[in-house]
Amino acid sequence: MGWEETQVRGYSEFVRTAQSYHGRPIFALFCGDKDAEGRSWCPDCVTAEPVVRKELHNLPDESVFIYCLVGDRAYWKDPNNEFRKNLKLTGVPTLLKYGTPQKLVEEECFKAELVRMLFTED
Amino acid sequence: QAHKEEDNPQKTMEANGLTPVPDSYDYDLIVIGGGSGGLAAAKEAAKYEKKVMVLDFVTPTPQGSSWGLGGTCVNVGCIPKKLMHQAALLGQALQDSRKFGWQFTEEVKHNWMTMTESVQNYIGSLNWGYRVALRDTKVTYENAYGEFVGPNTIKATNKKGIEKLYTAERFIIATGERPRYLGIPGDKEYCISSDDLFSLPYCPGKTLVVGASYVALECAGFLAGLGLDVTVMVRSILLRGFDQDMANKIGEYMQEHGVSFIREFVPIKVEQVEEGTPGILKVTAKSTTGDQVIEGQYNTVLLAIGRDPCTRKIGLDKVGVNINEKTGKIPVNDEEQTNVPHIYAVGDILQGKLELTPVAIQAGRLLVQRLYAGTTTKCDYVNVPTTVFTPLEYGACGYSEETAVEKFGEENIEVYHSHFWPLEWTVPSRDNNKCYAKIICNIQDNERVIGFHVLGPNAGEVTQGFAAAIKCGLTKEQLDSTIGIHPVCAEV
């Protein structure tokens, strides 16, 4: 079977979902919330999302892509939010391979080459 | 086997022993080895828009350990070593803290797995960081074993055994070293080396460290600091090549702080008494001065008796690069060039140069700048500062006392020295006569400081600044007229 995508919102939902896929390679893209028109408050996330989506076909078989909305701008700016505290995220967008130190942060997510490397190499 | 198939007249010429026309190579530069020297050189070359490839491959240890991009320093050297040294120092700090008023009733214990996982996680982020950096600067990286098959051709074999050929105008060999084994029964089957220690998936327990190198003493030091029962087996002297006065002080300190030493013995046999993680090993050792034979049982035996360059199986004979047959080291001129003009070398494999990460990085960068940016600056290997991170740290720059005496004559040097008691050690009643500093001055040259040695906490931090001063030609008078910062160790 190829790869599959699931969308979550907020920290608890993210953790529950990641745990439910334990055993499979999990990649996650963290972005700022989107408004009613579907635009995120985070301009870099707006730039990164299409780049990442274009590379999704490179995901290894059996892997899971979790698209996670972290919250509104105020929540994100709080230095004690759960994503910062527990997942050690430092910025949005962050694209990472769950359970490994492999991640791309902010402008790194704009680079198709790097996204592809994250998805395809050990 | 998949070969790079191309109708390439240059390759055909090469295969027939003829020199191909330049500007038709796959790469401007191929770097063999993705460690401190190799990566610094590759990244620098990319800045000048050169087409660069880095080949990095780790042959697993006899115990099966392996690691990612970054070389020895990042994976099985400086980085994990300093972090584990810090873990041990924190243990000591916890003890001291009670005297400063901190109250805790729980007994403090150390968890090897927690520490190792954190350290390995950090190393993983460094491996990844290098991969991002290389990809971002358009340096091609392959996790493959590189060897020369022709004057301008490298064969790269990946872990699945797939071979590819690449050509380049120039090459930098930066393959580094690996720990040496004793060559006795049981050494590869049962002993570990520093290549295994920092990712060991179980606490090593009661450990015998064989060797008297800084690797041996640093590892023995932090293992003891973490609460383990540690013995060091030394064939002759401690820290060969370092100032022996300082080396002995380091040994004494370790001995007084829980490390046992067995001096003038070498292991002749290692046997397994019990399997396990760790198991129980029996070591038989023979005296170097007589017929005495002793036995001991340990959970882990760590060999730290030296490191050998990875230069014997990379096809250097095929391209005529000379190596020192005895040591495996590569002699280079002061521009890091081997006897083959388009092949260079940097790092630990160089003959007669210091085996230090910053030296490899500096040499690699300057070499590339000379090749592609038209500079002429050569690497300055003189007065390179170093630090040994034993429990009592030792920082040094310049001559040891013995070497200074040998070179300048005893009557022409003056040694100024002092013990000191760090303020932070007073309250917890730690040793008041162990920390020590000395400078060696050349009387005939204005009492110029030619050697700096300090034994005490944060020795590395203390030494760095003095290294810059020595590079500027620091004299005793200038040192005397520099007012100290108080209260710090460095003011001594």
Side-chain angles (χ1 to χ4, degrees):
Chain A
M1 138 221 228
W3 58 276
E4 64 179 270
E5 174 171 348
T6 179
Q7 303 204 350
V8 302
R9 205 179 159 277
Y11 181 76
S12 335
E13 206 188 332
F14 172 76
V15 172
R16 263 198 323 270
T17 309
Q19 278 169 357
S20 73
Y21 286 110
H22 179 72
R24 294 164 63 174
I26 300 172
F27 298 86
L29 178 64
F30 298 90
C31 291
D33 276 4
K34 291 179 166 171
D35 61 21
E37 276 86 51
R39 279 199 80 87
S40 176
W41 54 260
C42 161
D44 286 349
C45 302
V46 173
T47 313
E49 195 177 329
V51 176
V52 172
R53 288 200 170 280
K54 215 157 158 234
E55 297 297 324
L56 287 177
H57 66 273
N58 289 310
L59 284 172
D61 283 347
E62 301 286 322
S63 56
V64 180
F65 174 68
I66 305 180
Y67 178 77
C68 177
L69 294 176
V70 299
D72 62 25
R73 184 188 238 119
Y75 168 80
W76 181 252
K77 293 297 186 197
D78 173 10
N80 288 321
N81 78 53
E82 288 147 311
F83 288 101
R84 290 189 196 267
K85 260 184 32 195
N86 303 337
L87 279 176
K88 310 279 187 271
L89 296 196
T90 53
V92 279
T94 291
L95 178 67
L96 54 75
K97 186 170 180 182
Y98 191 66
T100 77
Q102 298 184 351
K103 66 178 179 180
L104 298 172
V105 180
E106 294 159 357
E107 312 87 57
E108 292 175 339
C109 301
F110 302 169
K111 301 178 181 173
E113 282 261 329
L114 296 183
V115 175
R116 201 175 311 139
M117 181 170 79
L118 181 71
F119 287 164
T120 60
E121 293 181 29
D122 278 328
Chain B
Q1 287 177 1
H3 286 271
K4 214 166 133 85
E5 278 171 2
E6 268 183 17
D7 181 12
N8 191 330
Q10 280 72 32
K11 287 239 177 64
T12 319
M13 282 173 75
E14 266 217 75
N16 289 316
L18 300 168
T19 319
V21 177
D23 285 340
S24 57
Y25 298 112
D26 299 325
Y27 292 91
D28 294 308
L29 179 67
I30 291 182
V31 179
I32 315 176
S36 303
L39 289 180
K43 285 192 261 186
E44 190 70 23
K47 279 192 201 161
Y48 305 111
E49 319 222 315
K50 294 297 158 185
K51 199 158 176 238
V52 189
M53 160 175 268
V54 170
L55 294 171
D56 186 69
F57 191 83
V58 178
T59 307
T61 70
Q63 296 300 327
S65 308
S66 183
W67 49 88
L69 181 63
T72 296
C73 174
V74 163
N75 292 287
V76 288
C78 329
I79 303 289
K81 173 266 296 280
K82 185 97 190 291
L83 289 172
M84 293 197 177
H85 170 67
Q86 175 67 0
L89 289 178
L90 288 170
Q92 176 72 63
L94 282 167
Q95 300 303 324
D96 290 353
S97 72
R98 291 188 198 267
K99 294 280 178 63
F100 282 94
W102 288 100
Q103 297 175 332
F104 39 98
T105 51
E106 282 169 40
E107 206 197 286
V108 172
K109 291 183 305 213
H110 185 259
N111 183 314
W112 174 268
M113 289 312 305
T114 307
M115 173 185 71
T116 308
E117 274 170 29
S118 308
V119 169
Q120 286 302 317
N121 210 46
Y122 177 64
I123 292 174
S125 72
L126 293 179
N127 298 142
W128 175 249
Y130 285 125
R131 304 211 8 231
V132 169
L134 290 186
R135 189 58 73 95
D136 222 13
T137 49
K138 308 261 185 295
V139 172
T140 309
Y141 156 62
E142 284 225 2
N143 184 213
Y145 187 94
E147 45 191 317
F148 284 96
V149 291
N152 289 77
T153 310
I154 291 270
K155 176 174 79 171
T157 309
N158 72 9
K159 61 182 173 212
K160 296 193 177 116
I162 304 197
E163 295 174 0
K164 293 193 195 160
L165 295 178
Y166 299 107
T167 60
E169 190 187 355
R170 294 189 174 101
F171 298 86
I172 298 180
I173 307 168
T175 50
E177 302 182 304
R178 296 297 291 272
R180 192 180 300 154
Y181 280 78
L182 283 166
I184 60 170
D187 65 351
K188 291 201 172 136
E189 297 93 301
Y190 306 120
C191 300
I192 64 168
S193 72
S194 57
D195 281 357
D196 308 293
L197 180 64
F198 302 110
S199 55
L200 206 62
Y202 53 85
C203 181
K206 180 177 172 190
T207 304
L208 174 70
V209 178
V210 182
S213 55
Y214 74 81
V215 174
L217 297 186
E218 285 176 346
C219 290
F222 74 71
L223 289 173
L226 299 177
L228 303 178
D229 177 343
V230 178
T231 306
V232 180
M233 186 175 285
V234 175
R235 183 184 59 185
S236 63
I237 61 171
L238 298 179
L239 295 173
R240 185 180 302 276
F242 287 83
D243 185 296
Q244 284 299 291
D245 175 31
M246 307 303 283
N248 289 325
K249 287 181 162 39
I250 292 173
E252 259 170 45
Y253 183 87
M254 286 175 68
Q255 206 155 353
E256 285 163 20
H257 290 267
V259 178
S260 311
F261 281 81
I262 298 178
R263 316 260 334 215
E264 298 185 329
F265 273 84
V266 290
I268 53 174
K269 189 168 55 169
V270 177
E271 296 161 288
Q272 187 177 63
V273 171
E274 215 178 273
E275 253 187 81
T277 53
I280 303 183
L281 301 172
K282 182 169 100 170
V283 178
T284 310
K286 187 168 179 306
S287 165
T288 58
T289 56
D291 290 326
Q292 199 193 355
V293 169
I294 55 171
E295 282 177 4
Q297 288 201 353
Y298 306 91
N299 294 123
T300 298
V301 177
L302 171 68
L303 300 182
I305 55 168
R307 295 174 64 79
D308 292 320
C310 299
T311 51
R312 301 197 192 264
K313 295 188 189 159
I314 56 172
L316 293 183
D317 49 322
K318 297 211 175 65
V319 289
V321 171
N322 288 340
I323 66 170
N324 178 317
E325 277 307 322
K326 180 161 169 273
T327 61
K329 295 233 174 179
I330 301 184
V332 293
N333 61 18
D334 62 0
E335 300 194 337
E336 288 82 30
Q337 192 179 36
T338 68
N339 61 304
V340 177
H342 69 288
I343 301 179
Y344 300 81
V346 294
D348 288 359
I349 54 173
L350 296 190
Q351 179 163 280
K353 306 280 198 276
L354 293 158
E355 295 176 15
L356 295 166
T357 281
V359 171
I361 293 175
Q362 180 83 324
R365 278 201 196 125
L366 292 179
L367 166 62
V368 165
Q369 286 170 9
R370 291 194 304 272
L371 290 178
Y372 301 122
T375 62
T376 52
T377 321
K378 300 185 203 179
C379 187
D380 183 1
Y381 291 98
V382 171
N383 290 334
V384 175
T386 66
T387 297
V388 180
F389 294 96
T390 34
L392 192 55
E393 294 179 9
Y394 167 44
C397 182
Y399 287 95
S400 66
E401 202 172 322
E402 307 84 76
T403 319
V405 163
E406 204 185 297
K407 178 148 185 186
F408 298 97
E410 198 172 335
E411 62 286 3
N412 293 319
I413 64 162
E414 190 71 66
V415 178
Y416 297 92
H417 67 147
S418 173
H419 280 98
F420 59 93
W421 198 20
L423 182 63
E424 294 84 357
W425 287 25
T426 56
V427 165
S429 306
R430 289 177 62 185
D431 302 306
N432 63 358
N433 61 346
K434 294 295 179 217
C435 295
Y436 180 76
K438 75 178 176 187
I439 54 165
I440 302 166
C441 301
N442 183 350
I443 300 178
Q444 292 179 318
D445 181 20
N446 258 358
E447 277 213 302
R448 196 152 321 268
V449 177
I450 57 170
F452 170 91
H453 304 263
V454 65
L455 192 61
N458 304 306
E461 308 291 1
V462 172
T463 305
Q464 183 71 86
F466 285 98
I470 289 176
K471 211 180 208 0
C472 297
L474 180 74
T475 61
K476 176 69 166 55
E477 199 187 328
Q478 286 171 320
L479 193 57
D480 286 344
S481 67
T482 308
I483 300 181
I485 302 172
H486 182 75
V488 296
C489 296
E491 65 180 306
V492 73

